Amino acid sequence: MSSTMGTLRTSTPEAMSRPILGWTLHDSLVIARTTILASFRIPEAMFFQLIQPVIFVLLFAYVFGGAIPIPGAEPGSAADASLYRQYLMPGIFGQTVAFAAAASTVGLAEAMQKGIIDRYRALPMSQSAALIGNTFANAIRQIMVLTVLSITGFIVGWRINDGILNAIYAYLLLLLFAYTVTWVGAFIGLSVPNTETANTAGLVWLFPLTFLSNAFVPLDGLPTVLRAFAAYNPISSLVLSTRELFGNPTGYPPGVEPEYWSLQNPVLYTVISCAVVIGIFAPLAIRKYRSASRR
Amino acid sequence: MAQDDAVHAEGLVKTFGDVKALDGLDLVVPRGQVVGLLGPNGSGKTTTVRILATLLKPTAGQAFVNGYDVTKQSDEVRHSIGLTGQYAAVDEFLTGRENLKMFGDLYHLTPKYVKERSEELLSWFDLVDAADRPAKTYSGGMRRRLDLASSLIAKPSILFLDEPTTGLDPRSRLGLWGVIESLVAEGTTVLLTTQYLEEADKLANDIVVIDHGKVIAHGTAENLKDQIGGDRLEVTLVDPHKMSDAQAALAPIFGSDSLINESNLSGPVSGGSKVLVEAVRALDFAGIEIADLALRRPTLDDVFLSLTGHGAEDETPAPTSSRSRRGRR
């Protein structure tokens, strides 16, 4: 390379014609495609993203499993342990998709710090596409995580007991939830001052949120105030929905109805919660993005 | 007429909280020219570029890029510009070719054009061999080249280069200068910010010196050098501790305008080479050993020192630094 190089010959840039609905979808897909492509180039990150939920499965199934009684079996019996694994897996699914938010937080804080968001913002692309594409890619990545997790579950004795169609609904609900929390994660990622903060800020709210739920223990044991919070925690309704859809133990003895509306209509409550959270956090995140700049 | 210039900014003010990053900055970049925006860290260079690239909204004042208002017609502005920042903002996990494709797609260019243009840019920037390797395996210079190539995918008529060679080794810097010169030869307008005076001297037709968010001088490199007068004498001592003794000894020659730099002492002189002899005598008389003695034309460094009272690469104390500011209000 030197100043003696030839001139650039390509003719005038040829632009594509503008789609009827604008560029948002096109640009979002470009971002999603490259984000997914990039994540395949970091097998280490992918490995740890997959190994973490697997460790949780083994930990809960073999360490805590015996200590948490599930209605319907003699405490401490072999049937109880097997029942707990059936009960546990939807909880792990729920927890795992909730933690998808953290990846989004860190990813966006990094993109901000590296000046990539500045770069996007100086392009004549749709101003919301970078976020839509990013959240979309994050949700897609969860398909792989859920696959690995399902196989692990199968090995420790978890089963799909209520037909393939309901199982598909359960997985779709999990992906919707992953997509939803990713918007919250994106908002946090664009709000924190640097990636170091993003690493903790991305996780800190997820621990109470996932543990104050029915993901690992039935709600009956909780004090009343916490129980009400846990019942209206969308993770509880998500986990209960998937337990029902997979035909796994729900944590309620046969014939006993949950005492809260959110858990009597878990699928409906989950979908409504997702819509509300996206409705709040997507505009907030996009607004942050538009005024964001490298820090 | 504001709309005829590639860049036309008037009275730009930008405040971050109670810090004034820009304080009524005026800037004109005529079409086809290279204007160098020169200033110490925190002087407002990056803030200016960010406003012109539609990344920040000015608190007051107005700016037109390619005739479009940066606040009201930001989409048209973004179509007209290419931006290369201080940090090679390429996706390090994508290959060179994939990066170019991504930017081409986001500029909404046809796949066929993106393909042709990418190949051309890869070979032009000497990245063909590395085109299918992830950018994280690139050297600093290669990343900057890829970054610049990405900015050029849509053939923008105006290019903003924010400290394009900061952190590069001398060889990569020369290479990048060559690229920029070729682009200018093809008619691209360039606004270049730099803290390297040599870079501004080499590339820019016109230099705008800013400090504390204001233009403090403006002209060609020669104009600016002439402003601070003629030749300067530079003395390097064997024993740097004797710097102030030397300053005193040379006072009859320099007057009160001499400057002690890191390793030498310099001051304005007149009278050509005769002054060399006088200086040697004066220092010899004072018993100060000379390591090096040179008479030279003023550099932009001298211009800078005399204009701002501090060197171009000095860190000015926070909080005027626009880059360490969060700049997100």
Side-chain angles (χ1 to χ4, degrees):
Chain A
M1 191 188 59
S2 72
S3 51
T4 59
M5 63 182 77
T7 50
L8 288 166
R9 284 167 311 277
T10 317
S11 46
T12 5
E14 301 157 32
M16 294 189 284
S17 51
R18 189 175 188 278
I20 299 160
L21 295 173
W23 289 106
T24 306
L25 182 66
H26 171 269
D27 295 349
S28 302
L29 290 175
V30 172
I31 298 287
R33 186 191 73 210
T34 48
T35 308
I36 291 170
L37 195 60
S39 65
F40 278 106
R41 302 278 160 74
I42 330 168
E44 315 86 68
M46 187 77 96
F47 174 77
F48 286 107
Q49 206 180 359
L50 292 174
I51 203 76
Q52 188 188 325
V54 169
I55 289 172
F56 267 103
V57 172
L58 300 177
L59 212 59
F60 275 93
Y62 294 102
V63 180
F64 301 121
I68 302 169
I70 300 301
E74 188 66 26
S77 66
D80 183 44
S82 143
L83 215 54
Y84 182 70
R85 284 171 209 162
Q86 299 273 337
Y87 175 83
L88 169 73
M89 280 312 296
I92 300 265
F93 284 139
Q95 187 201 33
T96 305
V97 292
F99 275 75
S104 164
T105 302
V106 174
L108 281 166
E110 261 175 25
M112 189 95 109
Q113 195 147 333
K114 286 182 188 161
I116 292 186
I117 290 196
D118 273 4
R119 192 64 184 273
Y120 287 157
R121 286 188 54 234
L123 294 178
M125 62 184 277
S126 154
Q127 290 291 289
S128 49
L131 288 179
I132 297 175
N134 201 290
T135 50
F136 195 60
N138 260 315
I140 295 287
R141 227 176 282 161
Q142 293 304 307
I143 293 179
M144 201 153 23
V145 176
L146 287 175
T147 308
V148 171
L149 208 49
S150 300
I151 294 168
T152 314
F154 198 80
I155 294 169
V156 302
W158 169 74
R159 294 291 180 269
I160 291 172
N161 299 322
D162 201 19
I164 199 72
L165 196 63
N166 276 345
I168 290 171
Y169 287 146
Y171 284 119
L172 288 178
L173 206 57
L174 287 165
L175 290 176
L176 170 67
F177 196 84
Y179 186 71
T180 305
V181 292
T182 301
W183 277 107
V184 182
F187 175 70
I188 298 172
L190 294 170
S191 307
V192 294
N194 49 48
T195 48
E196 291 77 14
T197 314
N199 276 319
T200 42
L203 283 174
V204 74
W205 60 285
L206 288 168
F207 281 103
L209 201 69
T210 50
F211 282 93
L212 271 178
S213 77
N214 59 6
F216 307 110
V217 287
L219 295 183
D220 309 339
L222 293 175
T224 322
V225 178
L226 284 185
R227 191 161 23 155
F229 176 86
Y232 284 99
N233 178 352
I235 293 184
S236 293
S237 65
L238 170 74
V239 170
L240 183 61
S241 304
T242 52
R243 282 186 180 130
E244 289 178 355
L245 290 166
F246 285 133
N248 297 141
T250 57
Y252 296 97
V256 175
E257 272 268 284
E259 53 184 318
Y260 297 94
W261 181 84
S262 54
L263 298 180
Q264 289 160 7
N265 308 280
V267 176
L268 180 63
Y269 181 75
T270 306
V271 172
I272 292 173
S273 306
C274 289
V276 170
V277 172
I278 293 177
I280 293 170
F281 281 90
L284 280 179
I286 289 169
R287 215 182 65 176
K288 270 268 180 239
Y289 175 87
R290 282 171 194 262
S291 60
S293 59
R294 209 193 72 78
R295 294 165 289 203
Chain B
M1 181 61 199
Q3 272 73 2
D4 295 338
D5 296 314
V7 174
H8 190 110
E10 273 176 20
L12 287 184
V13 174
K14 180 68 193 178
T15 52
F16 297 110
D18 48 7
V19 177
K20 236 180 192 166
L22 292 184
D23 190 10
L25 183 122
D26 302 319
L27 178 68
V28 172
V29 183
R31 286 188 193 276
Q33 300 267 307
V34 185
V35 169
L37 200 55
L38 192 63
N41 283 337
S43 57
K45 301 188 297 281
T46 299
T47 305
T48 306
V49 169
R50 299 177 63 82
I51 288 173
L52 297 175
T54 77
L55 296 176
L56 277 180
K57 290 211 185 311
T59 313
Q62 53 178 355
F64 297 89
V65 171
N66 205 15
Y68 301 114
D69 187 318
V70 293
T71 52
K72 297 187 190 103
Q73 295 166 293
S74 47
D75 217 42
E76 285 85 349
V77 171
R78 291 180 191 129
H79 268 291
S80 317
I81 62 167
L83 169 68
T84 295
Q86 295 166 33
Y87 303 87
V90 293
D91 191 319
E92 55 183 354
F93 298 109
L94 299 181
T95 67
R97 202 172 257 126
E98 286 164 352
N99 264 294
L100 291 175
K101 172 154 175 53
M102 176 179 78
F103 284 108
D105 288 348
L106 292 175
Y107 271 108
H108 308 144
L109 301 167
T110 61
K112 180 173 158 283
Y113 175 81
V114 172
K115 205 167 153 48
E116 271 174 35
R117 178 71 171 166
S118 302
E119 294 315 312
E120 181 185 45
L121 287 166
L122 285 168
S123 72
W124 204 56
F125 281 91
D126 200 14
L127 291 169
V128 174
D129 293 339
D132 292 315
R133 269 176 20 213
K136 67 171 175 181
T137 65
Y138 288 17
S139 68
M142 288 164 80
R143 279 193 203 204
R144 289 295 174 94
R145 263 140 57 200
L146 179 60
D147 190 13
L148 188 52
S150 308
S151 309
L152 296 175
I153 193 109
K155 283 199 159 181
S157 58
I158 301 165
L159 201 54
F160 295 140
L161 302 175
D162 190 14
E163 303 197 7
T165 63
T166 297
L168 289 189
D169 61 68
R171 190 165 160 266
S172 305
R173 179 172 299 160
L174 282 175
L176 215 56
W177 286 356
V179 172
I180 295 168
E181 283 173 336
S182 309
L183 286 169
V184 173
E186 293 197 353
T188 309
T189 306
V190 176
L191 176 64
L192 167 89
T193 80
T194 184
Q195 43 179 325
Y196 301 117
L197 304 150
E198 192 194 353
E199 188 162 282
D201 207 354
K202 177 152 172 63
L203 295 175
N205 314 99
D206 212 357
I207 294 172
V208 175
V209 185
I210 68 171
D211 199 21
H212 301 298
K214 274 190 194 140
V215 174
I216 54 170
H218 170 218
T220 63
E222 289 311 308
N223 288 158
L224 291 174
K225 288 171 188 171
D226 288 346
Q227 275 182 23
I228 66 154
D231 295 345
R232 292 182 73 85
L233 180 70
E234 229 177 60
V235 187
T236 311
L237 305 179
V238 171
D239 179 2
H241 299 294
K242 294 199 174 153
M243 208 72 102
S244 40
D245 295 345
Q247 194 171 25
L250 293 173
I253 300 172
F254 284 157
S256 57
D257 290 337
S258 61
L259 284 167
I260 294 179
N261 301 321
E262 247 171 67
S263 58
N264 61 29
L265 177 72
S266 72
V269 292
S270 54
S273 51
K274 190 161 65 77
V275 84
L276 283 171
V277 181
E278 286 172 30
V280 172
R281 280 196 190 127
L283 290 169
D284 190 43
F285 185 74
I288 300 165
E289 269 188 276
I290 304 165
D292 189 32
L293 189 70
L295 195 62
R296 60 175 179 83
R297 284 279 294 149
T299 63
L300 274 177
D301 247 316
D302 305 319
V303 175
F304 218 85
L305 281 167
S306 79
L307 285 171
T308 65
H310 49 82
E313 288 167 51
D314 285 356
E315 287 285 343
T316 46
T320 39
S321 163
S322 63
R323 260 183 297 148
S324 66
R325 300 288 314 161
R326 303 208 350 196
R328 339 194 3 253
R329 258 142 283 256

